[in-house]
Amino acid sequence: MASKLKSHYPWISTPLISSAPMGGFAGADLAVAVSQAGGVGFIGTVIDMGFLDAELTSAASVLTTTSNNTLPIGVGFLLFAAKLHEASPIIAHHKPAIIWLACPQATEDFVTWTNVIRHCSPSSRIWCQVASVAVAMELAEKCSPDVLVMQGADAGGHGPCPGAGIVSLVPETRDALDAAGHEDVILLAAGGISDGRGVAAALACGAEGAVMGTCFLASEEIVLPVAEFRQSILAAKDGGTQTARGTIFDELKGPNIWPAGYDGRAIAGASYTDFKNGVAIEELRKRNAAAMSEGHKGFGGDIRAALWAGTGVGLVNEVKSAKDIVEEVRRTARKSHERMVSLL
Ligand SMILES: Cc1cc2nc3c(=O)[nH]c(=O)nc-3n(C[C@H](O)[C@H](O)[C@H](O)COP(=O)(O)O)c2cc1C
């Protein structure tokens, strides 16, 4: 198992730890630091492909290409927002080792993107993030992704809804893939994993590594709109109660641009409390705009803005370098495994 991962991604150490492609937050600095620490670092994108080109140029200036001439990092695309004809020339030029596809308008878009990427950068591997057994099976049949990232309901940021936690999602998907002859598709787990214990649990469930987003929001390399964002992440505890999933967070600045079937998990701050108390959306937008004009821009204090975070936020307690996060998570995953073995 580990040897297949190592042959595809020769720079990694195991267990595989990956930082999520958080659009607007995860740039070249984070991606490079994670890959240099033996993980898989991703640059996240939303719409602006000029940004992606600049970040990949920056990453290429410090990374050594792998033996198949790819750049040892990944790039993530939100399929409902990104334009394939703008993304593909950048992929062809920079050849990132991994292309991450998520959040399509229709499942078929995964197939279209996969076909074009395999043509324009044949050595790049395709990772698709999905949240159900059914979509995982459909993709295994239709476009043979190298990796399926199974996103559980605890995940920070956006994802398909409804969904299950990774403890049931990952093993059920593994069983279904194996039964249909798709043993070659690697599963990774994402959602609520913020330390090595979570990684060990994901491996026990049938994943071959973990993707973490929320935990890297406290990294030194993350790009944040204001410093208060990080303080709010560090202060949040008991993630099941202090975060919530919904579409309300996407309505705060104006109409929701996300397709039907998606929502997002964020800190359940003042906007969310008001929403639950029946405050109308127009009033919520007014209160959000007023907070955004203040010093903390709505990301600190009682939190009016959409501050995306998963249920694992309570385990994120200090600012660290991405290198330290990756190395510590790997170390504690092994320790956690030893503890598990001693209990069996
Ligand atoms: C701030 C933030 C931004 C995110 N942005 C994206 C994104 O642009 N594209 C994407 O595929 N996933 C995005 N995600 C979701 C991640 O891919 C991943 O599923 C999630 O971070 C895993 O759960 P965790 O946050 O509990 O570790 C984002 C997550 C967070 C927390």
Side-chain angles (χ1 to χ4, degrees):
M1 289 272 192
S3 63
K4 184 170 175 189
L5 280 175
K6 288 226 185 189
S7 77
H8 289 183
Y9 316 105
W11 70 92
I12 65 158
S13 300
T14 52
L16 172 60
I17 308 298
S18 181
S19 56
M22 296 177 278
F25 299 87
D29 288 351
L30 178 62
V32 166
V34 169
S35 283
Q36 285 180 333
V40 170
F42 277 93
I43 297 171
T45 67
V46 185
I47 294 170
D48 183 1
M49 294 301 137
F51 162 84
L52 175 61
D53 197 21
E55 294 298 292
L56 279 169
T57 302
S58 156
S61 70
V62 286
L63 291 171
T64 308
T65 52
T66 62
S67 53
N68 69 2
N69 208 26
T70 57
L71 209 53
I73 55 168
V75 169
F77 296 98
L78 291 169
L79 302 199
F80 85 90
K83 302 259 185 304
L84 180 52
H85 69 274
E86 291 175 4
S88 55
I90 297 170
I91 295 170
H93 176 67
H94 292 281
K95 298 184 182 57
I98 302 146
I99 307 300
W100 166 298
L101 309 177
C103 304
Q105 185 95 40
T107 307
E108 206 57 33
D109 299 341
F110 277 120
V111 182
T112 309
W113 275 70
T114 300
N115 288 341
V116 171
I117 292 163
R118 287 197 168 130
H119 180 72
C120 75
S121 181
S123 300
S124 299
R125 302 266 169 194
I126 308 279
W127 293 18
C128 295
Q129 180 166 249
V130 301
S132 70
V133 180
V135 177
M137 292 302 290
E138 192 178 340
L139 295 197
E141 295 290 342
K142 290 185 174 168
C143 64
S144 304
D146 296 287
V147 166
L148 284 169
V149 179
M150 301 309 299
Q151 185 190 36
D154 288 320
H158 291 88
C161 65
I166 55 172
V167 172
S168 50
L169 179 63
V170 173
E172 189 182 343
T173 307
R174 185 71 274 163
D175 286 350
L177 288 169
D178 292 350
H182 297 297
E183 295 91 348
D184 54 326
V185 179
I186 292 173
L187 294 186
L188 300 181
I193 303 172
S194 284
D195 67 10
R197 292 168 295 185
V199 173
L203 300 184
C205 287
E208 292 174 41
V211 176
M212 304 192 302
T214 299
C215 153
F216 286 101
L217 292 176
S219 69
E220 288 165 1
E221 292 85 353
I222 198 83
V223 178
L224 295 175
V226 289
E228 284 81 358
F229 192 118
R230 190 169 5 227
Q231 290 314 317
S232 297
I233 290 290
L234 297 175
K237 297 283 163 273
D238 201 1
T241 63
Q242 291 196 9
T243 69
R245 276 189 87 131
T247 53
I248 180 59
F249 304 107
D250 290 304
E251 297 281 356
L252 295 174
K253 287 202 274 188
N256 185 359
I257 61 161
W258 281 76
Y262 293 97
D263 68 5
R265 184 179 288 281
I267 302 277
S271 293
Y272 185 76
T273 307
D274 286 353
F275 164 72
K276 293 298 269 184
N277 289 334
V279 177
I281 186 63
E282 294 74 21
E283 179 58 25
L284 288 179
R285 284 182 186 149
K286 257 191 235 160
R287 292 180 191 179
N288 179 58
M292 292 304 258
S293 65
E294 291 171 19
H296 57 65
K297 300 216 176 116
F299 291 100
D302 56 0
I303 307 178
R304 285 265 155 211
L307 202 157
W308 308 109
T311 60
V313 70
L315 292 163
V316 183
N317 298 317
E318 52 180 320
V319 177
K320 293 180 198 159
S321 67
K323 176 176 188 284
D324 285 352
I325 294 174
V326 172
E327 288 176 351
E328 187 182 321
V329 168
R330 253 192 333 247
R331 199 168 51 245
T332 52
R334 290 197 194 104
K335 232 172 114 186
S336 189
H337 175 254
E338 281 164 21
R339 179 177 176 275
M340 247 165 16
V341 170
S342 76
L343 290 171
L344 295 173

